[in-house]
């Protein structure tokens, strides 16, 4: 698509996404903003993804199909980012969905902000393979200078929730391909968000305008790889930030290492559990303190989930597909007490590391919000 610069660009990396890609592109085509370009990067798919994308492009000039050898999600996103012509870029994974007002709401948030805001995002709901909503997500919604708190809780938590200033993503070097090269793909989104948060503020549109698909075979289904990716992202971040900020990473690094240990226990790899605990504690001594906390938190979540499923009230999402969510269902509910406790720790660490000074306020939206 040439000529007039679009208001916003959308980048969709796709790998073997033939089952979902047409529906995902359709949710972009149905946005309330029509002046967009849709860059779909086929990352060396071996199924019918490329054929479907080119057929869609033939029918809609806003679609820009790109094909490359398989290089991972970061390289695919960066290939799309290199082609973006608009001042704003929104990222969307090839199996996720957006509410029709998602782009309009994010651009409105940018219009009401100054240049210090680098990212606007929305929370999400989980959907299954048939678009039925499984659950909402009770994460703290942070805005302002979020770096300290973002280390402990990723309020975006998926690859489809952000719209960014194009120049800002390019300024931080785009998405890191080093994680894929280290066999630790998965935390590229978290990493680039934190790089942006070093210099720019975040703004949140509180309604869940994103549907994250939990289906067999998607990246976050590989728990071990995701935990390894968490640790690798932290070490890359350590080389990006000012050295005086590195103590801020101590607890997040120990938490990632603790999950590496727990993953071995979940898989009943008892020998690996012991060796992993020894090696991770040698690298991150705070594992001795953090591991029991992480274990208690994990057990508590499992018990709470079991109690809710066994004795809890029927979910308001039961039998509802994402496109049929009502305004009441799009309300944002308060995060858990455990999440709030971790945010207190994040604030305390930030002040400690900076000698009593804190970043300009990073607020949490704890009240319910309507769409």
């Amino acid at each position: 698509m040439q000529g007039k610069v679009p208001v916003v660009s959308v980048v969709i990396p796709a790998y073997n996404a033939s089952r979902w890609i047409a529906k995902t592109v359709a949710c972009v085509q149905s946005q309330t903003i029509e002046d967009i370009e849709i860059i779909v990067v086929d990352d060396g798919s071996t199924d019918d993804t490329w054929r479907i994308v080119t057929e869609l492009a033939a029918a809609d000039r806003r679609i820009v199909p790109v094909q490359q050898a398989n290089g991972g999600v970061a390289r695919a996103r960066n290939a799309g980012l290199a082609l973006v012509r608009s001042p704003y870029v929104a990222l969307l994974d090839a199996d996720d969905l957006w509410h029709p007002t998602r782009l309009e709401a994010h651009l409105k948030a940018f219009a009401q902000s100054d240049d210090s805001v680098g990212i606007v995002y929305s929370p999400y709901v989980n959907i299954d393979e048939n678009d039925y909503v499984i659950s909402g997500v009770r994460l703290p919604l942070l805005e302002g200078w979020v770096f300290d708190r973002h280390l402990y809780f990723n309020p975006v938590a998926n690859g489809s929730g952000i719209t960014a200033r194009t120049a800002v993503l390019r300024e931080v070097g785009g998405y890191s391909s080093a994680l894929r090269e280290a066999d630790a793909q998965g935390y590229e989104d978290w990493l680039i968000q934190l790089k942006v948060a070093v210099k720019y503020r975040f703004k949140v549109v509180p309604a869940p305008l994103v549907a994250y698909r939990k289906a067999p075979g998607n990246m976050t289904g590989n728990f071990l790889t995701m935990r390894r990716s968490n640790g690798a992202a932290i070490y890359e971040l350590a080389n990006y930030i000012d050295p005086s900020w590195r103590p801020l990473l101590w607890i997040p690094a120990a938490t990632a290492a603790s999950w590496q240990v727990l993953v071995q226990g979940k898989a009943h790899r008892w020998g690996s559990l012991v060796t992993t605990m020894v090696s991770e504690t040698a690298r991150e001594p705070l594992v001795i303190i953090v591991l029991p906390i992480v274990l208690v938190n994990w057990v508590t979540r499992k018990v709470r989930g079991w109690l809710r499923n066994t004795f809890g009230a029927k979910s308001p999402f039961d039998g509802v597909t994402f496109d049929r969510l009502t305004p009441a269902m799009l309300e944002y509910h308060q995060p858990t007490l455990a999440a709030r406790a971790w945010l207190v720790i994040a604030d305390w660490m930030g002040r400690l590391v900076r000698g009593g000074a804190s970043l300009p306020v990073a607020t949490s939206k704890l009240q319910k919000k309507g769409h």
Side-chain angles (χ1 to χ4, degrees):
M1 186 172 106
Q2 301 297 325
K4 180 183 176 183
V5 174
V7 173
V8 61
S9 300
V10 178
V11 173
I12 306 174
Y15 175 70
N16 287 349
S18 59
R19 180 176 179 184
W20 315 112
I21 190 63
K23 182 176 289 187
T24 296
V25 170
C27 85
V28 182
Q29 293 172 307
S30 65
Q31 291 291 300
T32 52
I33 289 181
E34 297 183 355
D35 187 9
I36 58 178
E37 66 176 351
I38 307 167
I39 303 170
V40 184
V41 182
D42 176 19
D43 187 36
S45 297
T46 57
D47 63 1
D48 289 335
T49 297
W50 180 244
R51 177 186 61 79
I52 295 170
V53 171
T54 53
E55 289 177 356
L56 292 171
D60 187 342
R61 294 181 59 197
R62 297 177 299 173
I63 299 173
V64 180
V66 180
Q67 191 174 40
Q68 67 175 28
N70 181 254
V73 66
R75 290 187 184 277
R77 286 180 179 149
N78 288 339
L81 181 61
L83 298 175
V84 167
R85 297 185 297 123
S86 60
Y88 302 102
V89 57
L91 287 303
L92 175 60
D93 285 346
D95 54 353
D96 293 344
L97 300 174
W98 285 344
H99 189 276
T101 63
R102 193 274 204 197
L103 288 178
E104 180 182 0
H106 283 205
L107 292 182
K108 181 178 180 180
F110 271 118
Q112 296 171 344
S113 307
D114 60 28
D115 290 345
S116 68
V117 172
I119 283 179
V120 172
Y121 73 95
S122 291
Y124 66 100
V125 293
N126 292 310
I127 60 173
D128 65 14
E129 295 177 85
N130 298 308
D131 299 349
Y132 284 97
V133 178
I134 302 170
S135 63
V137 178
R138 297 180 66 189
L139 290 174
L141 296 185
L142 311 178
E143 63 179 9
W145 299 98
V146 304
F147 182 84
D148 296 355
R149 289 181 162 197
H150 204 315
L151 284 169
Y152 289 79
F153 272 100
N154 180 354
V156 185
N158 65 83
S160 303
I162 72 167
T163 303
R165 296 186 191 274
T166 304
V168 168
L169 292 194
R170 289 172 175 164
E171 177 186 340
V172 302
Y175 287 83
S176 172
S177 60
L179 301 185
R180 159 71 180 258
E181 293 162 4
D183 192 26
Q185 185 171 265
Y187 264 69
E188 290 84 357
D189 300 299
W190 185 71
L191 178 57
I192 197 171
Q193 290 159 24
L194 282 164
K195 288 180 178 180
V196 171
V198 170
K199 291 181 61 178
Y200 294 92
R201 295 189 300 124
F202 281 32
K203 192 163 187 176
V204 62
V205 176
L209 303 179
V210 179
Y212 171 71
R213 194 179 302 280
K214 301 190 75 170
N218 65 5
M219 189 185 303
T220 50
N222 190 331
F223 195 75
L224 178 58
T225 300
M226 291 296 289
R227 293 299 110 197
R228 186 165 58 245
S229 184
N230 188 188
I234 289 172
Y235 288 114
E236 180 170 334
L237 184 64
N239 293 320
Y240 181 83
I241 61 177
D242 187 287
S244 66
W245 285 25
R246 288 177 185 168
L248 292 170
L249 306 182
W250 288 351
I251 293 177
T255 302
S258 296
W259 276 111
Q260 291 273 46
V261 176
L262 291 181
V263 164
Q264 305 303 326
K266 287 182 65 178
H268 300 159
R269 301 170 181 164
W270 308 118
S272 296
L273 184 149
V274 174
T275 57
T276 302
M277 184 161 60
V278 170
S279 63
E280 295 295 336
T281 303
R283 187 169 62 169
E284 301 291 344
L286 282 178
V287 167
I288 296 174
I289 299 173
V290 174
L291 178 59
I293 298 173
V294 171
L295 178 59
V296 169
N297 184 45
W298 178 71
V299 171
T300 300
R301 283 191 293 171
K302 290 295 183 182
V303 171
R304 187 171 62 241
W306 179 82
L307 289 173
R308 183 172 58 248
N309 292 335
T310 305
F311 303 107
K314 181 180 178 181
S315 168
F317 299 121
D318 284 353
V320 178
T321 54
F322 180 63
D323 62 341
R324 294 186 178 277
L325 288 181
T326 65
M329 293 176 184
L330 285 171
E331 283 190 340
Y332 169 66
H333 295 279
Q334 296 185 6
T336 63
L337 289 175
R340 297 189 211 182
W342 279 112
L343 295 182
V344 171
I345 294 173
D347 291 342
W348 177 80
M349 280 295 296
R351 293 186 178 91
L352 180 66
V353 169
R354 297 186 184 89
S358 62
L359 288 171
V361 177
T363 59
S364 294
K365 289 186 176 292
L366 300 180
Q367 73 275 22
K368 290 185 179 181
K369 292 283 186 177
H371 172 62

